[in-house]
Amino acid sequence: MYKVVLLLLFVFCNVTGVASQDVANYVNPFIGTSNFGATYPGPVAPRGMASIAPFNVAGKQNIMEKDSMWLSNPYVHENTFLTGFSQVNLSGVGCPDLGVILVMPTTGKVETNHLKYGSTYSDEVAKAGYYSNTLDKYNIKTEFTTSKRVGVSKFTFPEGQSNILLNLGLGLTNEEGAMVKIISSTEIEGMRSVGSFCYNNPESAYPVYFVAKFSKPADKFGVWKKPRLYEGAEAEWMTYNGKTRIMDNATKMVVGDSIGTYFTYNFSKQETVEVKIGVSYVSIENARENLEEETSDKSFETIYKETFNEWNQLLSKIKVEGGSEEDKINFYTALYHTLIHPNTLNDFNGEYPEIKTGKISNTTGTRYTVFSLWDTYRNLHQLMSLVYPQQQSNMIKSMLAMYDENGWLPKWELNSTETFTMVGDPASIVITDTYLKGIQDFDVEKAYGAMLKSANQIENNPLRPGLKDYIEKGYLTTSSVGSVSTTQEYNAADYSIAMLAKALGKTEDYKTFKKRSLSYKKLFDKNYNLLRPRNPDGTFYEPFNPLAGANFTKSVGYIEGNAWQYAFMIPHDIKGLKKLMGGDENFVNQLQKVFDDNQFDMANEPDIAYPFWFNYVKGEAWRSQKTVRHLANQYFKNKPKGLPGNDDTGTMSAWLVYSMMGIYPASLGDNKYQITSPVYDKIEVSLDSKYYPGKTFTVMTKNNSKENIYIQSIKLNGHSLKRYWITHEEIVNGGVLELEMGPNPKK
Amino acid sequence: MYKVVLLLLFVFCNVTGVASQDVANYVNPFIGTSNFGATYPGPVAPRGMASIAPFNVAGKQNIMEKDSMWLSNPYVHENTFLTGFSQVNLSGVGCPDLGVILVMPTTGKVETNHLKYGSTYSDEVAKAGYYSNTLDKYNIKTEFTTSKRVGVSKFTFPEGQSNILLNLGLGLTNEEGAMVKIISSTEIEGMRSVGSFCYNNPESAYPVYFVAKFSKPADKFGVWKKPRLYEGAEAEWMTYNGKTRIMDNATKMVVGDSIGTYFTYNFSKQETVEVKIGVSYVSIENARENLEEETSDKSFETIYKETFNEWNQLLSKIKVEGGSEEDKINFYTALYHTLIHPNTLNDFNGEYPEIKTGKISNTTGTRYTVFSLWDTYRNLHQLMSLVYPQQQSNMIKSMLAMYDENGWLPKWELNSTETFTMVGDPASIVITDTYLKGIQDFDVEKAYGAMLKSANQIENNPLRPGLKDYIEKGYLTTSSVGSVSTTQEYNAADYSIAMLAKALGKTEDYKTFKKRSLSYKKLFDKNYNLLRPRNPDGTFYEPFNPLAGANFTKSVGYIEGNAWQYAFMIPHDIKGLKKLMGGDENFVNQLQKVFDDNQFDMANEPDIAYPFWFNYVKGEAWRSQKTVRHLANQYFKNKPKGLPGNDDTGTMSAWLVYSMMGIYPASLGDNKYQITSPVYDKIEVSLDSKYYPGKTFTVMTKNNSKENIYIQSIKLNGHSLKRYWITHEEIVNGGVLELEMGPNPKK
């Protein structure tokens, strides 16, 4: 660990010496690569389709091994045995998928068994858009960068026989099946089957196509295929039963569950080879076009520079001053993590596979994919709306296109498959929030219709199981999985529908859904001051253990959490919840108890807005300031274990970005941000003139330090502000928020 | 068995009532479908790339089951459990390959396990270009025909849910791997991996591509995939581990070792669906073009009629009168069998995959494939040269193109892979024979160069292993497999080289190779009057058992035969052999002993010319007449067991065709046919005016009957002929051969 940190500091100093304004140099892609953060250190362009991850999760040499445990990521920082570099990957997810098309350079005789050709590695370097290491076994220096749809590898080989393997059998999951065709000594095309996210819906597996181009023609090439082992009589006449077969010079199409290719070179001196791999979810032709259009004539260095500049340009939308170097690394790495997913699905020519139908369509804007909405509805999309509204607009348009294509908004969409992971109906929340924030260049009536459909269609509704109970009784019962959690999610969604109805002048709908959104109260048990599952007959579920369900264990009523971790997940009605709990004091006591009793889980979404709810009680905002700053310090660090758990496609990172800025969109439908304690002297957010009247939003602090974490006074645009929240309108009008900090809480 | 025969007679009478001149009606495709004949009863066009075989060799219900024994054919007549209809097949081979792309109609719920959806069948009908049966389990009538590159299925379904499965997992061999993509509710494209003939060279596996078009759009469709069974920890989270997954409405590319598609219909009454499957060894695009160009607008009936007419036109090149109906069935079925392989490899547009290189080339004439030359050099190519010289010319051109492509003439070529099956260097024999027969429209100098290369290149010579010993010592030693057999094969090849050298005026070469061709004598052991293996030190191999090696058992010195079955396989030097054996009488005695002691094996090639060698001794020709007529009667019948064994891509059938005509090309390089006892009153061979001066060659007999099998006198063109052979020149000048027959041998 120390080695890496030191190395990074060295790299950082080196680079910043040249261009100190390049905030992309603060990105440390190692953050989150341990402690189940599930990020990868390899390069990816902003919202890129292609990404490269050093793949070190195969082989018993590794501490965390994909076949021995549920592993959702292609790279684990503690592991040491590397078996390739995967070309499509997911960042910060809790289920395995992708992590395929593994490129591996080796030397000497061609070995096709990854357990034999794998190697330890050293000299790891990871930056925005760049990764490098040295493979100890082969003394090969590896370097990687990517454009949006193309992964670029650069290998520096020693003298002698060198090989570049493309392993299409090995992958992160148990999904198998690939096709490959060597076109020439410099080109390969093929596909790999992926899918079955969370090992669900294996029938929705789908192809990722690729074209690989090599900068130098191979002296020799071929395909390998490992067939299954036959038994019995039919095995007797197969001298090659179960053995990997090497098909030298093969230029015909080869398919199978476990296949790969090798390109071999005989170098008389140290030489480099670059491999560009274009990917596509539409076709091989599109993968080739992606490669040609994005990288054809460009060198590795040029591509890296372009991607770095793109990162830098996007990350520069928020400029910070003050704070420590580590604060900046943490902040910009978090912002970087929020710009990976949702990512681009469409090819360079605009084509993409429709959700469910499998048809190929064409998009004008970016078609986004990887919508982990149960996570991202809470803060990531709000961050996009504020800083990157054009992206957020295209995300909404992508969600509406999905509705056009298969009749439903997404829930947890992945490469045009609906994984139905987690619960609730989060698309409505994201759409309403976006619209209310002023990003309205989408067909809002269509969106509203789509929201109503999932809110009202009782039969054959894939988004809202248990809807009949919910509508009739106000809550799901223990006959549904996660009945309390799901009721809360439906409440939040219904509130968003109500708010959009209101904005659109649909008064009756507003009333209906506003009312529906408050039905969580029926689950409130005064004896516990908590929400509690109800049985189908209406009685409370017995025995009730409010602690059950923590740490991702299963429990009745709750999904990935316990009663404490869900009790305050009423982001649209904290005032109502306060009343239920018996007023401000009881509310604060109960909320403080979550933290004092260590029930707060920073690693998962249900309770991540909790720290901000203290702002809702007069004189208690200091608790939010203290708690947020404490949590940010405790759980987010400049090291591989620097995320509290799964990054959840950037949701945890978005939490940190907002928290470090001192504002957080904790509530729903009211366009408010809670004001807490920022870590910087100055934060400047560039505003997109297409969507917002102001040019920048600025947060400034006075006397801010590690000790002076408490807000003493607030000014907005030079005028004293007597509240701990600020509206979106105030922000995007170009607001300047000034906070005077001090060491003591202002009660 | 009886049922089938009776049924065929019924069909036959029915059809001939309409058009008595259609000799194609004499074809009984059931002949050879038992007793390891390895033919299939389904339709194929003359030298067609596509063919359809009812596939009844999977499932323990069957007497002969592909996974329980070495089975080289997709259909066995005794079997009863059918699991589909394969769309590419080999006829009459001894090793399994192809037998894939299985179409199967079913009814009711979709079942993807062939062991469950398989069915018994009845009402089998097989004709040239047509096959039909009824699947008992489903009450579905199946009918099939083919054009050259397209298989056409017609299913008559009862009312209710009907399904058409395309199983790309099941196949005749253990080769696996397929790709499929459903294009629409009427079209599927894909590929299947085939190869590893004889379970050798698995690394040369290659794709067969296909496009399937359905006459009616499916109401529902999908893909299935059966993944392998995982074990251990990683299996725990796969609820679908090892289970077949059904991917409804899948239109994305699916690959894997065991996949298939289903098309489902809901019929309110009896309905028919036609499925056209175009195949190609080049690409999916070519498979589609083959389908469009050959069958696009045509009905099942039209395609069948065209194919039938093509068969009829080719089979009519030999017209026979007299003999029994069964004689005619046996004869025309045999001729039919000689017109299946070698078959067309190139697509409609002329493209084909080059041998070994994998490049796609274009041919002007037909590019042929499936050259089982160890078999076919003995008589099949001679039959083609006589009756279908244009085809034979293109076969030679195909062989020379292979030489251009990979530097070597073919040995046992299969779909542009060299299987290296069997021994010897038979291409030289075929080329020389063709050239000497007057078919000279190929580059003979190139051919000669190719022949010399395999005859002389000692190092890295894939065609002639053991060549160093052969050249230095005159024979291979026991350090090589089949040393005696291989020496004899090389002798025969060298003799052919000598004869071509002579024809081309290369006198020195002629002398060299003539001398080399007689080195078999060094293996002659006077004590046995047989050829005997020699050890590397020159001594005879001990212990020597002349009977060892019969019935395909392994033995030292011999390949698929014993010392007796090889002793007379000196087709270029029977005179020399006679001398070795001590003169005419000893020779005849020794030869007769082969038959008397039941050492003669009609089921394999080494000794199939034996019956004709009696002609080489004055006064003994009657033995040839008797033996040939006897063998034809004993081993060739109008029933599934009507071939003595493997048809060997038509070699056994060619033996029968010539034998029934009363002429046989037993010797090499002298353009002679031995005259024996024909079964017909009149045989008329149409001669191709492009190659030959005469219009027809005619054999006529007087007093011929089942008893009158002995030739009493011979006239050629009205003049008495005092010999039992006739030259190719005499035949192709339009000769008329008249034989007077009688019941007693003319000694």
Side-chain angles (χ1 to χ4, degrees), chain A residues 344-414:
Chain A
T344 308
L345 176 64
N346 61 288
D347 290 320
F348 188 87
N349 63 13
E351 291 185 342
Y352 67 93
E354 288 189 358
I355 189 167
K356 205 175 175 187
T357 73
K359 280 185 213 148
I360 303 304
S361 273
N362 212 294
T363 186
T364 41
T366 301
R367 164 72 169 224
Y368 286 110
T369 185
V370 186
F371 284 89
S372 180
L373 292 170
W374 182 86
D375 300 307
T376 57
Y377 87 75
R378 300 166 202 267
N379 58 28
L380 185 134
H381 291 286
Q382 289 85 332
L383 184 62
M384 296 306 112
S385 289
L386 177 59
V387 191
Y388 313 100
Q390 181 67 65
Q391 290 190 13
Q392 178 60 19
S393 169
N394 277 325
M395 287 176 196
I396 298 295
K397 287 171 190 155
S398 297
M399 291 163 68
L400 294 182
M402 291 176 206
Y403 172 68
D404 285 339
E405 289 157 15
N406 81 339
W408 297 97
L409 290 167
K411 187 171 193 166
W412 209 126
E413 183 272 354
L414 171 53

Side-chain angles (χ1 to χ4, degrees), chain B residues 239-261:
Chain B
T239 54
Y240 54 91
N241 188 18
K243 286 182 196 160
T244 298
R245 57 179 81 163
I246 305 289
M247 305 159 87
D248 292 330
N249 303 312
T251 53
K252 291 171 182 170
M253 186 186 281
V254 177
V255 298
D257 284 347
S258 185
I259 63 175
T261 67

Side-chain angles (χ1 to χ4, degrees), chain A residues 67 69 174-178 199 202-203 209 225 228 230 234 237-238 240 245-247 255-257, chain B residues 67 69 174-178 199 202-203 209 225 228 230 234 237-238 240 245-247 253 255 257:
Chain A
D67 298 334
M69 61 184 299
N174 293 353
E175 179 66 20
E176 289 186 314
Y199 287 100
E203 63 283 356
Y209 302 95
K225 179 171 179 172
R228 70 179 170 95
Y230 281 80
E234 59 183 325
W237 50 75
M238 289 177 82
Y240 54 90
R245 59 179 79 163
I246 305 289
M247 305 158 87
V255 299
D257 284 347
Chain B
D67 297 334
M69 60 185 298
N174 293 353
E175 179 66 20
E176 289 186 313
Y199 287 100
E203 63 284 356
Y209 301 95
K225 179 170 179 172
R228 71 179 169 92
Y230 280 79
E234 58 183 325
W237 49 75
M238 289 177 84
Y240 54 91
R245 57 179 81 163
I246 305 289
M247 305 159 87
M253 186 186 281
V255 298
D257 284 347

Side-chain angles (χ1 to χ4, degrees), chain A residues 470-486:
Chain A
Y470 175 74
I471 288 177
E472 289 175 0
K473 302 181 179 179
Y475 51 84
L476 282 74
T477 72
T478 49
S479 64
S480 296
V481 174
S483 55
V484 177
S485 303
T486 308

Side-chain angles (χ1 to χ4, degrees), chain A residues 140-311:
Chain A
I140 296 169
K141 182 179 183 186
T142 75
E143 294 174 275
F144 304 92
T145 189
T146 54
S147 66
K148 197 136 317 230
R149 301 171 183 89
V150 185
V152 187
S153 306
K154 182 179 177 183
F155 302 121
T156 304
F157 290 105
E159 178 194 332
Q161 178 173 341
S162 296
N163 317 295
I164 300 176
L165 311 177
L166 191 61
N167 191 330
L168 301 173
L170 183 62
L172 183 54
T173 80
N174 293 353
E175 179 66 20
E176 289 186 314
M179 180 275 282
V180 76
K181 191 169 188 300
I182 298 178
I183 303 298
S184 70
S185 62
T186 59
E187 186 172 348
I188 302 170
E189 66 179 34
M191 69 79 94
R192 175 57 151 84
S193 187
V194 290
S196 307
F197 188 66
C198 303
Y199 287 100
N200 280 330
N201 306 317
E203 63 283 356
S204 66
Y206 55 93
V208 52
Y209 302 95
F210 68 88
V211 168
K213 291 207 178 185
F214 295 68
S215 63
K216 290 185 176 141
D219 294 314
K220 203 183 143 194
F221 59 74
V223 178
W224 78 78
K225 179 171 179 172
K226 189 171 190 317
R228 70 179 170 95
L229 191 71
Y230 281 80
E231 290 172 359
E234 59 183 325
E236 286 169 20
W237 50 75
M238 289 177 82
T239 53
Y240 54 90
N241 188 18
K243 285 182 196 160
T244 297
R245 59 179 79 163
I246 305 289
M247 305 158 87
D248 291 330
N249 303 313
T251 53
K252 291 172 183 170
M253 186 184 282
V254 177
V255 299
D257 284 347
S258 186
I259 62 175
T261 65
Y262 66 88
F263 270 39
T264 287
Y265 298 86
N266 293 308
F267 290 136
S268 57
K269 58 179 177 60
Q270 188 185 70
E271 295 254 16
T272 66
V273 181
E274 290 181 21
V275 188
K276 294 172 178 169
I277 301 186
V279 295
S280 163
Y281 291 95
V282 172
S283 67
I284 286 168
E285 293 67 35
N286 281 11
R288 186 173 283 112
E289 187 182 355
N290 290 342
L291 190 155
E292 295 294 340
E293 293 287 347
E294 293 185 0
T295 68
S296 175
D297 301 327
K298 296 173 186 169
S299 68
F300 180 95
E301 282 68 25
T302 303
I303 298 162
Y304 166 46
K305 197 175 172 191
E306 286 180 359
T307 298
F308 180 87
N309 287 344
E310 199 189 342
W311 275 118

Side-chain angles (χ1 to χ4, degrees), chain A residues 436-451:
Chain A
L436 297 181
K437 293 267 168 71
I439 302 166
Q440 301 181 346
D441 53 350
F442 60 90
D443 185 343
V444 70
E445 287 294 339
K446 176 190 285 179
Y448 186 72
M451 290 154 69

Side-chain angles (χ1 to χ4, degrees), chain B residues 318-333:
Chain B
I318 308 182
K319 292 205 175 101
V320 298
E321 290 175 23
S324 65
E325 286 296 289
E326 178 160 349
D327 286 336
K328 290 198 177 95
I329 293 173
N330 292 347
F331 181 81
Y332 283 108
T333 303

